[in-house]
Amino acid sequence: MALQRFDPPGFVDDFGAAQRDAWHQFISDAMDFAHDGTVGDPFDSPRAQFFNAAKVESASDTGFEDVKWTAFPRIVQISSGSDVERWRNSDASRDVQDEYCEWSVTRQSGTNKITRVTFTCEGPEYWRFLAATDPEKTLALYKQHVEASVTHGDLFSPSGTYIPRNRFNNSTANGAMHLVQRNNTLSAEIEIAGAATITRLRPDGTPMVDSLELIQCGRYGAAQRHSDPFIGARVNFHARNKADVTVANPVGIYFGGLDTQEWETPDGSDPAGFWKYTRGTPQRPVRAVLEVPSDRGYVLGDVLIDGHNIQFGGQIADRIQMTIRALATRIGQSTATPVHGCAGDSAGPAGGAGAGGPLSVSAVLSAGGRRGRL
Amino acid sequence: MGLGQDPFNPTRTHPLSPTAAGLDFPSSGAEANLSSLRARVVGIDPDGGRPMTDQDRASLGDPFFDLVLARERFPRTATELIAVLNESNGAPEGVPEQMVFVVAEAGQIPFNNSSAMLPRGVRYVVTRGRPANGPTVLISTRPPADDPTAFLQVAGWDGRNKVFHFYERAGSAWLWEGSSLHAFDPAARGKGPFDSHVNGTLVMKELRLPWLHWNSTAQEIPIESFPPNHPLRTDPLFAARESADILERRVVRPAIQRWTRARLDRQLGDPDGVAAPRELLRHLLATTSINIVTSEERSRGSKPTFGLPATFFFDVESIVNQLGLEISGLGQSFQVGRPDYESAVAALGLALKHLASGFKQDGDASFAWLVPERALEDCVVVGELTRRGILSFGFALALLMVDAWNPIDSAARASLLNYVPAGRTQAARIEAETRKNINNAAAHLPPEAPESIAATYLALDESALRARAGAELDAFVAKVRARLMTSQGVLDFMRLADWRRRAFRKRRIAEFDLSLPFSNINENAPPLALTKDGEVVER
């Protein structure tokens, strides 16, 4: 039996019934879109081994793989010469936090010590839709998770349009409610998974297996990140194994955990207890806060990692794992033939967006003028 | 071949010699009831080992001993060992969390006619631990994991005694080969497991991004690297392989930190003083071990310029990351043009070679500019010693600035070890005694002598030293950058890289031909060094 409904990321419970239906439809459309690929490009369409789990049943051999990567942005890492340089660079702007994890740092006035770091991996599509369909809920969540003083005017334009990069979600200092880095989208996640299901052959007839050659040939994601090439490589591995592949429900990016080994606290307590998931389920967390309880007499900046005081959110991001869950089924049964060529080798018309319904996430997002395939 | 010798990994094993030991260990089958645990610390115990005493057994507090050997279980393979550990998964002392990592020097070389006979050199690292506590049992073997002829080694963290214990299976016997402390015992140093675990902790040579040779997010070891019908293709351990970034962050770095702290607690806490101060300052002045690192860019990429590893040029890890000296814009400092790089690769005839099989693949490794760098385990000791106030920032930086342009194997810096007290010294006096000795020696030596250079730096107060070191390193970086913009400069640096690779091959930690590319330069060509002006010269 096919999946009844795509749930919101992390099974968060912000939606009413109509919103849930619309969200399901949005993800379902995105799945269909990712399956179709770039219509007209024989090297990128269709993606026969990618499937919409709400329309195609999974088989009894279904297996899951949690694809994991480090939250610290690789692009910052390879362009920085020392630890402090890369930590500082990663804390400089949300625009460089491109591993589907963004953070904001709160500091103590006077000492400038870090007191709290908030991490999010919630896609912007979800929030734009929520804000468009339930502004009051959106405001309440900002008040709950970011800052109690947030007002409607902080989040919405005079015409009532949600501002994703509002002043409580556009920096590394004033809060992080959801992802805003331009490549950190759920749509990107689904598109990468879809595009990576095409098995490709080199000119000599051997299969492409390397993450870099796959992402360059498939033209999905950003090759310099930890996440995109690796997600693609793992999905493609299952595709080469002649499985049908999709992203498991609920589609989203998740925290895979924080490693606090060799952290030192002034009172010897276990810093793992300072790490709290504040949205999503414990198994599928989408928001996390690291903060020392107020009764301890010290703050996060007094905690040491490898002997260094925590001075940057990037030091923590070094220790965070991100994950998405891939689903493979009908293993060994696919009859899709490998492709001799790369996406874009044959120029063709771009695909269109899915149709809307009574309440449509795509329509809502399009109304906001967002560029993209969904 | 001795008992426990792995025919596919002879350098990995420290086999028993039954004849020499007068022992008769079974390797399989009916004699398996002779399984046992023996002590064999190479260099101290007889070649065939010796029976474990009650005192020996009482000193073992790691989960591998507690959950396996102490229960009279003597698994012959990794598969059996994992099964034994699984029996305790529900117990409070169990280590249920398992991760698998895979390394293979030839694991990223495509399988085809020319590489069909190439041994892939696959090894597994299987870690076991309790969630949130990190791994405490580390199993090293090769596939297939149920092969009783495969080497099988275990490192277990003993939380009670704060040491790693090292074990190895030989035939159906298990050998306790010592603890981290034996790494510093003159009789055992560099022998047995301590030929690679030089400082008594875990080793991951390719520790940093892109973790060359390891299965990782940067580059997988694809199943297609292996022949059709190869048993690895259906091996559940291989299928469960994780990325090496997890091994780095969750296993090896914490282990190095943990052991370093435990070691320093022990050595510095001795009320009679530090028994061997030179053992500590070797980490500052010498090169006790090596990591290997590459550029983060592919050797056959299309990017017109890319960065070389900064640690190739100076000790960024100790000077910048551990001591905190700020060098601005370091990240973009060591860019090389791809045409110059490719010309240098061609001029030196770089190639990956496996001498026994005759395999040769022209060019650099898959990631560019593979070179040895100072081992993290040395740098972490430097950081810990300064944070604990045993060494001042100024003292550590002053000595690191001597011949700073040669971050590894600097004879000039190593010569300063002679001025570190040789005998037992109170921890608080180590720096002062060394300072005094260096200054006294410098008074009678020419200004270019390492002692004189060190004395010049030591004479500065911290602020002045910080400024001078920063300025000198900035100037050095600028000169290197200028030379990297010329074909000749790149070729010279490539020759230096090759010299360092040749020197690495002489270390016992270098086990595999394919670890590093070979060149057309004679293995016995004169050693090279880098000067303060960014010039490559014969030593």
Side-chain angles (χ1 to χ4, degrees):
Chain A
M1 185 174 166
L3 182 71
Q4 292 293 295
R5 186 168 67 180
F6 286 108
D7 292 294
F11 298 105
V12 291
D13 191 22
D14 307 320
F15 287 160
Q19 290 167 303
R20 293 180 74 87
D21 289 344
W23 184 259
H24 159 77
Q25 194 59 49
F26 169 69
I27 296 295
S28 182
D29 289 347
M31 292 286 181
D32 289 343
F33 201 97
H35 170 271
D36 293 347
T38 307
V39 176
D41 182 347
F43 302 115
D44 193 35
S45 173
R47 297 155 177 175
Q49 289 176 257
F50 187 77
F51 71 102
N52 179 345
K55 293 183 176 177
V56 178
E57 193 172 348
S58 298
S60 58
D61 65 349
T62 294
F64 298 92
E65 177 179 348
D66 287 330
V67 180
K68 292 175 264 185
W69 65 92
T70 300
F72 190 91
R74 182 179 183 274
I75 290 174
V76 173
Q77 187 164 352
I78 64 176
S79 60
S80 304
S82 68
D83 283 341
V84 169
E85 188 177 335
R86 67 186 179 85
W87 293 330
R88 182 177 291 135
N89 290 344
S90 72
D91 272 22
S93 167
R94 297 273 289 279
D95 289 329
V96 301
Q97 298 171 358
D98 67 347
E99 298 288 2
Y100 301 98
C101 172
E102 297 175 26
W103 61 90
S104 180
V105 176
T106 306
R107 294 178 185 273
Q108 198 172 51
S109 62
T111 67
N112 207 37
K113 285 182 179 177
I114 290 184
T115 57
R116 171 188 172 99
V117 186
T118 305
F119 296 87
T120 181
C121 57
E122 292 194 66
E125 298 95 328
Y126 178 90
W127 280 86
R128 294 180 68 233
F129 175 63
L130 178 68
T133 53
D134 193 346
E136 293 313 308
K137 180 73 176 180
T138 304
L139 178 60
L141 289 170
Y142 264 84
K143 286 176 175 289
Q144 177 185 348
H145 292 286
V146 179
E147 168 60 55
S149 65
V150 179
T151 66
H152 184 275
D154 291 322
L155 306 184
F156 295 88
S157 70
S159 64
T161 302
Y162 176 62
I163 307 166
R165 285 177 175 262
N166 61 76
R167 72 184 184 94
F168 290 100
N169 192 39
N170 67 356
S171 74
T172 57
N174 292 331
M177 191 68 247
H178 59 79
L179 301 173
V180 293
Q181 200 278 345
R182 67 187 176 95
N183 295 320
N184 287 344
T185 65
L186 286 177
S187 309
E189 175 194 358
I190 297 169
E191 166 62 12
I192 290 166
T197 56
I198 294 181
T199 57
R200 298 181 185 278
L201 300 177
R202 301 174 182 131
D204 67 0
T206 58
M208 291 189 185
V209 298
D210 178 71
S211 58
L212 188 62
E213 68 178 339
L214 283 167
I215 196 170
Q216 288 175 338
C217 188
R219 295 192 176 182
Y220 53 80
Q224 295 288 345
R225 297 162 92 171
H226 288 301
S227 48
D228 292 357
F230 191 56
I231 293 169
R234 294 310 303 158
V235 166
N236 192 263
F237 163 77
H238 294 293
R240 297 199 306 275
N241 213 14
K242 297 187 180 303
D244 290 340
V245 186
T246 192
V247 183
N249 179 59
V251 174
I253 299 113
Y254 298 99
F255 291 107
L258 171 72
D259 186 354
T260 57
Q261 289 182 80
E262 302 311 303
W263 290 29
E264 296 173 83
T265 56
D267 62 356
S269 57
D270 182 357
F274 306 159
W275 175 249
K276 308 286 187 196
Y277 292 123
T278 55
R279 275 176 63 80
T281 63
Q283 292 74 34
R284 298 298 191 96
V286 293
R287 183 175 185 81
V289 175
L290 187 68
E291 182 175 31
V292 178
S294 57
D295 61 354
R296 297 298 175 92
Y298 60 93
V299 296
L300 201 54
D302 297 314
V303 176
L304 305 179
I305 301 178
D306 289 346
H308 300 281
N309 284 93
I310 296 178
Q311 298 182 66
F312 305 97
Q315 287 170 271
I316 300 157
D318 268 345
R319 309 305 179 100
I320 294 174
Q321 287 268 302
M322 306 307 299
T323 181
I324 70 161
R325 180 165 290 181
L327 180 159
T329 190
R330 290 177 286 281
I331 298 161
Q333 297 177 40
S334 175
T335 56
T337 52
V339 171
H340 273 279
C342 292
D345 281 357
S346 169
L359 178 57
S360 161
V361 179
S362 297
V364 168
L365 299 188
S366 297
R370 181 184 177 278
R371 184 182 66 83
R373 300 181 69 182
L374 290 169
Chain B
M1 184 171 290
L3 286 174
Q5 182 87 73
D6 183 335
F8 296 109
N9 292 269
T11 63
R12 277 272 131 163
T13 44
H14 313 100
L16 284 174
S17 165
T19 306
L23 295 169
D24 185 21
F25 287 139
S27 56
S28 64
E31 297 171 286
N33 60 342
L34 293 178
S35 299
S36 63
L37 170 65
R38 297 174 67 82
R40 198 272 303 269
V41 180
V42 178
I44 295 176
D45 293 321
D47 187 37
R50 60 174 173 79
M52 293 283 286
T53 65
D54 289 345
Q55 188 179 3
D56 288 331
R57 297 173 75 91
S59 72
L60 303 178
D62 63 282
F64 172 61
F65 177 75
D66 290 342
L67 300 175
V68 181
L69 301 176
R71 299 179 184 187
E72 299 296 314
R73 307 290 295 274
F74 302 101
R76 294 176 309 149
T77 67
T79 302
E80 290 179 8
L81 170 52
I82 290 167
V84 174
L85 291 172
N86 285 346
E87 293 171 12
S88 301
N89 279 356
E93 70 276 19
V95 285
E97 187 177 71
Q98 177 167 306
M99 296 186 287
V100 182
F101 305 96
V102 181
V103 61
E105 280 70 13
Q108 288 136 347
I109 295 174
F111 176 79
N112 53 36
N113 287 341
S114 67
S115 68
M117 300 304 291
L118 177 62
R120 298 286 157 169
V122 179
R123 283 97 66 206
Y124 292 149
V125 174
V126 182
T127 70
R128 298 288 294 236
R130 294 160 71 174
N133 285 357
T136 48
V137 178
L138 300 107
I139 304 161
S140 177
T141 190
R142 65 156 170 86
D146 58 356
D147 181 353
T149 70
F151 74 89
L152 181 57
Q153 297 165 336
V154 174
W157 175 252
D158 177 344
R160 191 176 72 232
N161 297 301
K162 309 287 186 199
V163 293
F164 283 102
H165 292 289
F166 297 90
Y167 303 88
E168 179 169 6
R169 182 192 56 78
S172 57
W174 275 88
L175 303 175
W176 172 71
E177 297 192 308
S179 79
S180 300
L181 300 174
H182 287 99
F184 307 101
D185 184 323
R189 184 172 198 105
K191 298 171 184 163
F194 309 112
D195 65 355
S196 54
H197 300 274
V198 173
N199 293 303
T201 187
L202 304 184
V203 173
M204 179 183 184
K205 286 194 292 290
E206 306 89 341
L207 181 66
R208 295 196 286 126
L209 178 74
W211 312 280
L212 189 75
H213 304 138
W214 289 87
N215 183 79
S216 76
T217 54
Q219 190 179 29
E220 288 197 283
I221 294 178
I223 201 85
E224 287 85 351
S225 292
F226 304 92
N229 303 320
H230 192 286
L232 199 107
R233 287 178 173 257
T234 54
D235 188 332
L237 285 182
F238 188 77
R241 65 197 184 282
E242 305 252 18
S243 168
D245 66 294
I246 299 173
L247 181 64
E248 177 197 346
R249 288 290 171 193
R250 289 203 57 199
V251 183
V252 179
R253 282 183 184 266
I256 291 171
Q257 290 283 350
R258 191 187 317 149
W259 162 238
T260 299
R261 289 198 186 117
R263 175 189 166 197
L264 295 185
D265 287 346
R266 190 186 298 260
Q267 288 185 282
L268 302 175
D270 187 336
D272 295 329
V274 176
R278 287 184 184 176
E279 285 294 340
L280 289 182
L281 267 67
R282 284 176 78 230
H283 300 286
L284 177 70
L285 296 167
T287 306
T288 72
S289 191
I290 284 293
N291 288 128
I292 57 180
V293 67
T294 71
S295 163
E296 287 141 353
E297 292 293 334
R298 300 296 181 102
S299 54
R300 289 184 169 85
S302 55
K303 209 172 169 187
T305 62
F306 59 89
L308 302 185
T311 53
F312 176 69
F313 296 100
F314 75 100
D315 185 359
V316 175
E317 180 60 36
S318 295
I319 294 175
V320 181
N321 290 344
Q322 297 291 338
L323 296 185
L325 187 74
E326 295 246 5
I327 307 290
S328 59
L330 203 50
Q332 299 299 315
S333 293
F334 303 113
Q335 297 286 310
V336 63
R338 187 168 290 279
D340 288 338
Y341 159 75
E342 290 176 347
S343 295
V345 169
L348 267 60
L350 289 196
L352 297 177
K353 293 181 185 177
H354 183 259
L355 303 179
S357 70
F359 171 82
K360 181 185 176 193
Q361 176 180 291
D362 288 336
D364 205 345
S366 55
F367 281 83
W369 210 274
L370 195 165
V371 285
E373 68 173 358
R374 206 157 127 74
L376 181 70
E377 55 207 72
D378 280 338
C379 306
V380 165
V381 174
V382 172
E384 276 295 312
L385 287 173
T386 52
R387 278 189 284 277
R388 290 169 186 240
I390 303 303
L391 304 181
S392 66
F393 167 88
F395 178 83
L397 181 59
L399 298 198
L400 286 169
M401 285 302 295
V402 175
D403 198 23
W405 350 106
N406 290 289
I408 60 172
D409 294 325
S410 164
R413 218 164 36 251
S415 71
L416 299 175
L417 261 179
N418 293 324
Y419 303 100
V420 179
R424 190 175 288 277
T425 306
Q426 288 297 324
R429 294 292 308 158
I430 293 174
E431 176 176 326
E433 294 288 329
T434 308
R435 271 180 185 268
K436 183 185 72 181
N437 296 340
I438 290 174
N439 287 334
N440 287 345
H444 308 288
L445 291 168
E448 65 273 19
E451 294 86 344
S452 304
I453 297 169
T456 304
Y457 290 124
L458 287 170
L460 302 172
D461 64 31
E462 181 177 321
S463 161
L465 176 61
R466 193 182 285 272
R468 175 161 172 181
E472 289 188 359
L473 286 169
D474 279 342
F476 167 71
V477 168
K479 287 173 178 168
V480 167
R481 188 187 299 133
R483 296 225 65 219
L484 280 170
M485 296 177 76
T486 69
S487 300
Q488 186 59 49
V490 174
L491 182 60
D492 286 346
F493 291 136
M494 182 70 89
R495 289 171 48 238
L496 176 65
D498 191 69
W499 147 246
R500 291 188 187 166
R501 289 192 285 261
R502 296 199 304 275
F504 172 81
R505 286 200 194 92
K506 293 184 170 61
R507 288 178 177 263
R508 299 193 68 174
I509 198 171
E511 298 176 85
F512 308 102
D513 294 346
L514 288 161
S515 290
L516 306 166
F518 288 81
S519 77
N520 55 20
I521 298 176
N522 189 301
E523 283 288 316
N524 298 314
L528 300 177
L530 194 53
T531 72
K532 187 176 186 176
D533 293 325
E535 301 287 338
V536 175
V537 297
E538 287 190 8
R539 292 197 182 203

